[in-house]
């Protein structure tokens, strides 16, 4: 029956093209949005993932960077350093602010770490330097590129002007970026004194991060201790929770559009062949077999649409960052499998109305026509 | 006594009830032997199609029984009917009704696959059948690329691919020109003779009378009196048995349209019929020998 389904589908190639295109655009909507979200999420945790800390220590109860304020006394740093297995502990000051470059403003996570700290500083300087002097700042290359700023230009952040001396890569997205200033500039701007935000901990060689986090929990009280992966997961989950509604709305819109396109196509194709299905029933084909033909047609239409959607999304993932550094698309396997499975379910759902139509086709009508 | 291919016993079909009741088929009884061609004629609205639908297990009679090769079709559940149609009944439709999206070979092999044959076997069987029907060079063609006669031959091959006991043909020549119409008629006759199928044809086409063993007239839902028909083995003309010029040869009786045909036959009978015909099966009705036609005794055309 597969051959018959394929033949039915490919006989009218224009209709097949339009149907798969429609389904493809609808599924691409879902995939692209998913990819944008995944790309932005990855960039949101870029600092956590790349800065080199094995364990993060924060104020008790604080588990994220985003939408959180962590304030720790500087004494915590020494307490952490004394824990067996700790190679280094670096105090980090952090704030969320906007960096104004000319007329443009970009949300940024501002970090300040001591000079020559083993972890926590900029990790991928692509232009200029990461060794900051007072009044100097490192910003993301994409932000600088988008705003037309160069090394030596001045930007405004934390209520003060800074001179751009370095550009870092791979931290910006539509919703955030990472910037670095000197500790004294941060303290002066924020008036935070000795208070720090987090302690970044590097483990001694051979010490697992999980074991080290456990040891710090035992030795240092009044803090929350998480491994890097735990901290990043919490961050991603927070963003996901905040975005659930909009993602659901976008996905639903995409899926419903795809469903409507596939259902309409399969229904029209079924109506057009109603007489042939009547002939098959008269010859002895059971309804179940006819349903199979309908479902196969819907699955093929959806599958081709999905393939087109994947191709489109992957193309955009390659092209968009090249055109606009703030827009990063990342298509992860899990999301793709979820979209594929949902699309398959939608294809089956799209077959219900045509199947109902088939069930009502009277095989006797084939004989009745033209005779008495 | 051998079982007829098709046995219809007091079949009636009513539509509606009370004042709006219509009796489409009224107490019809009919036996069709293996290898016999029966033509059912009659005016529009006479109930021919309704009868054909019931014979094809596409419509249940209100009363009466229909047996196909000994199996009571009217007693089968709805679930078993598709299988019965698939394996025991071959349909030939007026509009050919081929599947437009697949080629000739698939059109014929699909019913075989539905009946459980492997795709390869089904295609081999279909190809052999199409070859036998003179369509070996058209296997990969789309239906739209065929002439009307070729389409009807494909439809006939499709009807035969599962080797059904009975073949039902609904106006098989209606959409064909004279040449293709004759071609189709000869083919239907061959099917009955060579393959032993019971062929029931519903048609308005008078030409089909020439190949029918029996011609039945249907009117107001009932089969009416009809005369016995014979085919002149010399000129092929269909003639009423009572009016035929009779001659006996080789222990068999033949009917002719004229003395001229009779004399021509008697001069060289082997030109027209083969000797030593197989004796007709007991109870199966009079079957003609291969290559010739005998006088038939069943009622056919109404007086």
């Amino acid at each position: 029956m597969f051959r018959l389904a394929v033949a039915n589908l490919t006989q009218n190639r224009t209709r097949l093209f339009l149907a798969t295109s429609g389904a493809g655009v609808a599924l691409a909507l879902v995939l692209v949005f998913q990819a944008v979200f995944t790309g932005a999420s990855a960039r949101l945790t870029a600092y956590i993932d790349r800065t080199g800390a094995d364990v993060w220590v924060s104020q008790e109860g604080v588990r994220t960077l985003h939408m959180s304020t962590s304030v720790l006394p500087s004494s915590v740093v020494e307490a952490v350093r004394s824990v067996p297995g700790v190679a280094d502990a670096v105090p980090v000051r952090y704030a969320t602010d906007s960096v104004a470059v000319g007329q443009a403003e970009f949300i940024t996570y501002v970090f300040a770490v001591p000079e020559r700290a083993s972890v926590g500083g900029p990790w991928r300087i692509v232009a200029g330097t990461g060794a900051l002097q007072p009044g100097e700042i490192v910003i993301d290359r994409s932000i600088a590129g988008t705003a037309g700023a160069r090394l030596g230009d001045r930007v405004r952040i934390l209520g003060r002007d800074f001179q751009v001396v370095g550009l870092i890569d791979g931290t910006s997205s539509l919703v955030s970026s990472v910037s670095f200033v000197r500790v004294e500039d941060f303290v002066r701007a924020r008036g935070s004194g000795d208070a720090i935000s987090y302690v970044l901990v590097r483990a001694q060689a051979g010490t697992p991060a999980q074991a080290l986090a456990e040891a710090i929990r035992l030795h240092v009280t009044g803090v929350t201790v998480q491994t890097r992966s735990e901290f990043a997961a919490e961050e991603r989950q927070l963003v996901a929770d905040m975005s659930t509604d909009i993602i659901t709305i976008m996905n639903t819109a995409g899926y419903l559009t795809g469903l409507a396109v596939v259902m309409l196509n399969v229904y029209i194709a079924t109506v057009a062949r109603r007489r042939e299905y009547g002939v098959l029933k008269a010859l002895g084909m059971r309804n179940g077999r006819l349903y199979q033909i309908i479902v196969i047609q819907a699955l093929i239409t959806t599958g081709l649409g999905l393939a087109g959607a994947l191709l489109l999304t992957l193309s955009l993932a390659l092209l968009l960052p090249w055109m606009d550094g703030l827009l990063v698309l990342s298509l992860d396997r899990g999301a793709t499998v979820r979209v594929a499975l949902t699309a398959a379910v939608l294809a089956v759902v799209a077959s219900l109305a045509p199947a109902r139509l088939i069930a009502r086709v009277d095989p006797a009508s084939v004989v009745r026509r033209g005779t008495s | 006594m051998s079982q007829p291919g098709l046995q219809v016993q007091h079949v009636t079909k009513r539509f509606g009830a009370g004042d709006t009741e219509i009796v489409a088929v009224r107490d019809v009884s009919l036996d069709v032997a293996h290898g016999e061609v029966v033509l059912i004629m009659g005016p529009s609205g006479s109930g021919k199609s309704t009868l054909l639908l019931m014979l094809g297990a596409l419509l249940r009679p209100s009363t009466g029984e229909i047996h196909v090769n000994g199996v009571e079709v009217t007693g089968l559940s709805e679930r078993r009917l598709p299988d019965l149609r698939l394996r025991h009944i071959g349909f030939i439709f007026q509009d050919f009704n081929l599947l437009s999206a697949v080629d000739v070979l698939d059109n014929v092999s699909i019913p075989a696959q539905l009946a459980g044959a492997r795709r390869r076997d089904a295609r081999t069987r279909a190809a052999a059948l199409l070859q036998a029907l003179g369509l070996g060079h058209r296997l990969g063609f789309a239906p739209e690329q065929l002439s009307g006669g070729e389409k009807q031959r494909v439809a006939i091959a499709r009807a035969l691919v599962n080797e059904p006991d009975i073949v039902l043909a609904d106006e098989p020549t209606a959409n064909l020109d004279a040449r293709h119409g004759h071609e189709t008629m000869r083919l239907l006759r061959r099917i009955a003779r060579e393959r032993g199928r019971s062929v029931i044809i519903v048609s308005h086409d008078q030409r089909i009378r020439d190949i029918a063993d029996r011609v039945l007239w249907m009117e107001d839902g009932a089969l009416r009196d009809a005369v016995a028909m014979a085919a002149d083995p010399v000129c092929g003309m269909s003639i009423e048995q009572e009016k035929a010029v009779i001659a006996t040869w080789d222990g068999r009786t033949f009917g002719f349209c004229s003395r001229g045909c009779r004399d021509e036959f008697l001069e060289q009978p082997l030109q027209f019929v083969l000797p030593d015909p197989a004796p007709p099966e007991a109870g199966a009705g009079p079957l003609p020998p291969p290559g010739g036609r005998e006088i038939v005794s069943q009622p056919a055309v109404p007086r």
Side-chain angles (χ1 to χ4, degrees):
Chain A
M1 291 315 95
F2 184 79
R3 276 176 65 88
L4 181 57
V6 171
N8 282 349
L9 209 55
T10 54
Q11 192 181 22
N12 189 334
R13 293 203 167 94
T14 305
R15 186 161 65 204
L16 176 64
F17 174 76
L18 291 175
T20 52
S21 299
V25 168
L27 292 174
L29 188 71
V30 176
L31 281 172
V32 167
F33 190 74
Q34 198 75 48
V36 168
F37 177 75
T38 307
S41 293
R43 288 292 170 91
L44 277 171
T45 59
Y47 183 80
I48 303 167
D49 295 331
R50 304 288 297 278
T51 197
D54 298 310
V55 172
W56 282 66
V57 179
S58 53
Q59 181 183 336
E60 190 168 21
V62 175
R63 297 187 166 275
T64 58
L65 277 174
H66 197 64
M67 301 293 285
S68 298
T69 302
S70 172
V71 181
L72 292 169
S74 56
S75 58
V76 172
V77 179
E78 282 310 315
V80 171
R81 277 190 185 129
S82 67
V83 176
V86 172
D88 195 8
V90 175
V92 171
R93 289 167 173 83
Y94 156 79
T96 304
D97 200 8
S98 293
V99 54
V101 187
Q103 297 299 313
E105 285 197 6
F106 305 90
I107 295 172
T108 188
Y109 295 167
V110 191
F111 293 94
V113 292
E115 277 184 274
R116 289 184 289 280
S118 62
V119 292
W123 62 89
R124 193 179 173 191
I125 297 292
V126 292
T129 177
L132 298 170
Q133 298 302 315
E136 292 179 347
I137 188 170
V138 170
I139 65 172
D140 190 274
R141 177 172 68 171
S142 295
I143 284 181
T146 303
R150 298 179 193 169
L151 292 177
D153 287 354
R154 299 197 75 78
V155 298
R156 190 164 183 82
I157 191 169
L158 301 174
R160 295 164 55 87
D161 286 341
F162 288 83
Q163 185 179 27
V164 178
V165 296
L167 298 177
I168 190 172
D169 191 33
T171 72
S172 65
S173 70
L174 285 174
V175 292
S176 73
S177 68
V178 171
S179 304
F180 294 90
V181 297
R182 282 180 68 91
V183 171
E184 53 265 43
D185 285 336
F186 188 95
V187 170
R188 196 174 301 126
R190 302 290 288 189
S192 53
D194 281 347
I196 61 171
S197 304
Y198 300 92
V199 180
L200 305 188
V201 185
R202 197 160 54 80
Q204 287 176 355
T207 305
Q210 194 64 51
L212 182 60
E214 200 54 49
I216 294 170
R217 279 185 204 112
L218 284 173
H219 286 84
V220 184
T221 56
V223 294
T224 291
V225 185
Q226 295 173 100
T227 63
R228 176 173 58 204
S229 58
E230 287 168 346
F231 195 64
E234 289 281 349
E235 187 78 358
R236 280 191 288 269
Q237 188 57 49
L238 174 71
V239 176
D241 290 345
M242 289 169 62
S243 316
T244 297
D245 288 347
I246 184 73
I247 287 174
T248 303
I249 290 169
M250 292 296 287
N251 283 355
T252 304
Y255 286 133
L256 286 179
T257 307
L259 174 67
V261 169
V262 175
M263 185 184 282
L264 192 64
N265 172 60
V266 177
Y267 193 84
I268 290 172
T270 306
V271 168
R273 291 188 189 281
R274 187 157 43 179
R275 184 163 175 80
E276 290 191 5
Y277 290 130
V279 171
L280 287 168
K281 285 175 95 167
L283 293 179
M285 186 181 271
R286 292 179 179 280
N287 277 338
R289 293 268 191 152
L290 291 168
Y291 299 158
Q292 282 176 25
I293 292 173
I294 304 290
V295 171
I296 289 169
Q297 287 176 4
L299 283 172
I300 290 174
T301 306
T302 311
L304 289 174
L306 181 63
L310 277 170
L311 199 64
L312 182 64
T313 308
L314 290 171
S315 303
L316 288 174
L318 289 174
L319 287 175
L320 283 179
W322 182 68
M323 295 163 66
D324 180 353
L326 298 181
L327 197 54
V328 182
L329 271 67
S330 176
L331 198 58
D332 72 280
R333 193 176 300 170
T336 307
V337 169
R338 274 197 303 278
V339 172
L341 290 176
T342 309
V345 171
L346 291 182
V348 174
V349 172
S351 309
L352 293 178
R356 192 173 149 79
L357 182 76
I358 288 283
R360 289 193 301 209
V361 170
D362 179 9
S365 63
V366 180
V367 179
R368 281 204 186 102
R369 202 175 86 163
T371 56
S372 57
Chain B
M1 194 171 162
S2 81
Q3 193 75 247
L6 177 70
Q7 210 173 7
V8 181
Q9 296 173 341
H10 304 292
V11 162
T12 295
K13 180 64 185 179
R14 296 185 189 87
F15 293 106
D19 293 344
T20 59
E21 182 183 272
I22 293 170
V23 183
V25 173
R26 197 185 301 271
D27 194 30
V28 166
S29 294
L30 170 71
D31 284 1
V32 184
H34 294 287
E36 189 181 10
V37 179
V38 171
L39 169 64
I40 302 174
M41 303 186 81
S44 294
S46 60
K48 303 189 301 291
S49 290
T50 304
L51 179 61
L52 196 74
L53 289 173
M54 290 190 288
L55 300 184
L58 291 166
L59 190 65
R60 284 186 184 278
S62 305
T63 58
E65 291 180 2
I66 297 171
H67 298 256
V68 173
N69 215 19
V71 177
E72 192 200 337
V73 176
T74 37
L76 294 177
S77 68
E78 209 61 47
R79 282 186 60 241
R80 292 184 62 187
L81 292 180
D83 204 47
L84 175 103
R85 290 199 295 270
L86 193 58
R87 295 168 197 278
H88 298 280
I89 302 171
F91 289 96
I92 299 167
F93 305 105
Q94 173 182 345
D95 298 328
F96 322 125
N97 284 323
L98 302 179
L99 304 178
S100 60
V102 294
D103 61 20
V104 165
L105 188 57
D106 277 336
N107 259 287
V108 179
S109 67
I110 282 173
Q113 291 178 61
L114 289 175
R118 288 167 178 265
R119 184 166 177 266
R120 195 172 162 183
D121 297 340
R123 287 171 72 83
T124 303
R125 198 195 307 168
L129 202 49
L130 287 162
Q131 189 80 41
L133 294 177
L135 289 169
H137 60 302
R138 294 279 195 259
L139 300 185
F141 279 51
E144 65 182 16
Q145 295 173 291
L146 305 178
S147 69
E150 287 173 328
K151 284 179 188 171
Q152 195 58 294
R153 275 187 281 160
V154 174
I156 290 170
R158 180 177 65 183
L160 296 177
V161 74
N162 287 331
E163 302 187 350
D165 300 303
I166 63 170
V167 175
L168 302 176
D170 176 35
E171 299 280 4
T173 57
N175 287 330
L176 300 178
D177 57 26
R179 186 171 68 85
H180 288 124
H182 278 293
E183 190 180 80
T184 300
M185 290 187 309
R186 280 198 302 273
L187 202 51
L188 290 171
R189 187 170 180 82
R190 257 179 61 196
I191 289 162
R193 295 291 176 273
E194 295 173 5
R195 295 170 181 266
R197 312 281 180 241
S198 307
V199 177
I200 296 100
I201 305 169
V202 163
S203 179
H204 289 97
D205 189 347
Q206 295 285 340
R207 297 171 301 177
I208 297 180
R209 293 168 61 156
D210 292 350
I211 60 114
D213 296 309
R214 272 191 290 163
V215 180
L216 304 177
W217 185 260
M218 196 162 192
E219 198 164 338
D220 295 333
L223 293 175
R224 294 289 170 86
D225 290 344
V227 296
M229 299 297 291
D232 187 325
V234 176
C235 66
M237 184 183 285
S238 188
I239 43 175
E240 291 181 15
Q241 186 179 329
E242 287 181 9
K243 294 177 182 173
V245 178
I246 303 297
T248 303
W249 175 77
D250 200 22
R252 286 176 292 162
T253 304
F254 295 93
F256 301 91
C257 66
S258 65
R259 289 182 181 178
C261 278
R262 183 194 62 183
D263 295 345
E264 192 180 339
F265 174 80
L266 290 175
E267 277 175 24
Q268 285 186 305
L270 289 177
Q271 270 195 337
F272 306 103
V273 293
L274 296 174
D276 301 321
E281 238 179 299
L287 295 176
R293 297 168 191 167
E294 267 187 6
I295 290 178
V296 291
S297 57
Q298 279 79 8
V301 180
R303 287 183 187 278

